[in-house]
Amino acid sequence: MRALAAAAIGLAAALALAFGVTAAGQPEGRTSPKPLLTTAPTAPGQE
């Protein structure tokens, strides 16, 4: 019975945290309009 109560309390805490983060919304700010251009490194022996 104690394990069931502990699991219920843990689930309630996890849901409260998830809903709290969701309610906070997105942070203020902007993203860069320029895309990040990255390239993969060349394989050894191929240049």
Side-chain angles (χ1 to χ4, degrees):
M1 193 66 173
R2 287 184 190 177
L4 184 61
I9 292 171
L11 179 62
L15 287 175
L17 179 64
F19 288 139
V21 170
T22 303
Q26 294 180 346
E28 296 290 329
R30 296 179 18 210
T31 58
S32 173
K34 296 181 181 179
L36 296 175
L37 300 177
T38 59
T39 58
T42 58
Q46 296 180 1
E47 293 181 338

